[in-house]
Amino acid sequence: MKLADREFLNGMVEQFDESIKQLAIQEKDVLDRIGNVRAEELREFWKQALTEEEERFFRMTMDYWDKKLIQIWARTKRIRHTRAEVGHSLMKSLLINNG
């Protein structure tokens, strides 16, 4: 991998890390707003631990902050996954170039 490519990927990793930090701050803010009980209900929903009927009913009870938290979790999951792939690519290129 060329140096410019590695620098680009390093920049991406830094941006992902910053995004993850910002999302953690947003998550804490939303969790403070909705409380522990609702947060636990949302975690069960997120983990798909509800029956189909429970999920259907639960979706009808969701408000703005519930949906916001789910969006934060989904975005965090995507960013962490992508960051891991980029990190893997960087490590692989270092092994190939230094191997």
Side-chain angles (χ1 to χ4, degrees):
M1 181 179 292
K2 296 177 185 177
L3 178 61
D5 294 336
R6 279 190 299 219
E7 288 174 352
F8 174 76
L9 292 177
N10 279 325
M12 286 180 65
V13 167
E14 290 174 10
Q15 288 178 345
F16 289 144
D17 288 344
E18 184 59 32
S19 293
I20 290 168
K21 287 178 192 175
Q22 292 301 315
L23 287 166
I25 292 168
Q26 291 175 19
E27 178 183 11
K28 184 185 178 319
D29 179 54
V30 174
L31 288 171
D32 289 345
R33 289 175 185 268
I34 66 172
N36 292 333
V37 173
R38 187 61 175 176
E40 195 54 42
E41 293 171 347
L42 286 164
R43 281 187 188 95
E44 288 180 25
F45 173 77
W46 175 251
K47 293 177 184 177
Q48 297 176 333
L50 304 175
T51 66
E52 188 175 319
E53 185 177 323
E54 290 171 330
E55 183 178 328
R56 189 173 29 255
F57 176 75
F58 188 81
R59 284 183 182 272
M60 292 187 310
T61 68
M62 291 176 72
D63 67 7
Y64 171 82
W65 293 109
D66 296 338
K67 293 173 185 175
K68 183 72 173 171
L69 185 59
I70 296 292
Q71 289 171 348
I72 290 168
W73 287 343
R75 188 163 179 229
T76 300
K77 182 179 178 180
R78 281 192 309 272
I79 290 173
R80 284 185 176 154
H81 175 77
T82 305
R83 193 225 180 273
E85 287 180 343
V86 171
H88 178 76
S89 295
L90 280 170
M91 294 303 292
K92 188 175 175 182
S93 81
L94 289 173
L95 289 173
I96 290 171
N97 290 334
N98 293 330

